[in-house]
Amino acid sequence: MKVVVQRVSEASVTINKKIVASIGNGLLVLLGIVEEDTQEDIDWLCRKLVGLRVFPDENMVMNKSIHDTKGDVIVVSQFTLHASTRKGNRPSYIKAAKPDIAIPLYENFIATLQSNLGRSVQSGEFGADMKVKLLNDGPVTIIIDSKEKV
C-alpha cells in the first residue's frame, strides 16, 4: 500500500462537475493498493499518517501532526501509484489491485483513518473520473510505502 501525502491549504474532489469533498488546511492522501495489501498495512499507514509531523509549530518547524492541528483529510484512490514504467512508454498497472480486492481495502483505510484521527475523513469515489484540485502548502509532499516499513 502506497500513499502520496500532500500538505494543503485547500483541496477538493469533483465528480461530474459536482464537488464531493472539500477541505481547508490539512492533508490530501492519494492511496494506491496492491493485491498483497492487508489490514496490517492499513493500520500501520493510518498510524503513520495521524502522527506524521509535517505542520509548523510556533517556531515554523514542522513539528505538528494532523492530529495536533485538527486539520482535515481527503483520501483519493489512485491505482496509478503502482504504475510500472520499466518497459516502453505506456505505464503498466498490473500491480494495482482489482476492484474486488481494492474497494474493501480502500473503505477499511478510510474507516481506520477516521478511527485513529477521531473525526470524519472525506474521500473521493473509488473508480470514478475525479478532478482533484489542491493548493500544496510548502510545498510538502511525502511518499510512504507500507512495504518499506522496518
Side-chain angles (χ1 to χ4, degrees):
M1 194 167 281
K2 186 183 293 188
V3 293
V4 173
V5 183
Q6 296 182 299
R7 185 179 79 188
V8 297
S9 298
E10 60 185 67
S12 64
V13 177
T14 302
I15 302 172
N16 295 326
K17 299 183 181 179
K18 180 182 177 206
I19 296 174
V20 297
S22 179
I23 64 170
N25 289 321
L27 297 175
L28 172 65
V29 179
L30 305 175
L31 173 66
I33 300 168
V34 294
E35 293 199 11
E36 300 78 33
D37 288 331
T38 66
Q39 186 65 42
E40 182 181 327
D41 294 290
I42 291 170
D43 292 341
W44 183 83
L45 269 175
C46 287
R47 282 192 308 272
K48 182 66 84 174
L49 285 171
V50 169
L52 194 63
R53 298 185 318 177
V54 295
F55 294 92
D57 63 14
E58 56 281 347
N59 297 315
M60 298 310 292
V61 175
M62 286 195 291
N63 210 19
K64 291 190 173 189
S65 68
I66 192 72
H67 187 265
D68 298 330
T69 63
K70 300 195 180 351
D72 296 317
V73 179
I74 295 179
V75 177
V76 175
S77 63
Q78 186 153 4
F79 73 95
T80 61
L81 292 182
H82 290 289
S84 173
T85 57
R86 288 188 125 173
K87 294 182 181 178
N89 292 321
R90 181 178 300 186
S92 168
Y93 305 108
I94 198 159
K95 287 184 176 182
K98 304 292 183 264
D100 61 322
I101 293 172
I103 291 171
L105 290 170
Y106 172 72
E107 291 171 350
N108 287 346
F109 182 90
I110 294 167
T112 302
L113 187 55
Q114 286 180 158
S115 177
N116 287 1
L117 198 54
R119 60 183 178 277
S120 179
V121 170
Q122 296 188 51
S123 64
E125 180 184 318
F126 189 93
D129 180 19
M130 295 175 274
K131 308 301 179 206
V132 180
K133 184 190 258 186
L134 68 125
L135 183 56
N136 194 316
D137 182 19
V140 175
T141 302
I142 297 174
I143 301 168
I144 306 171
D145 190 330
S146 65
K147 303 303 188 237
E148 295 177 0
K149 66 182 179 275
V150 178

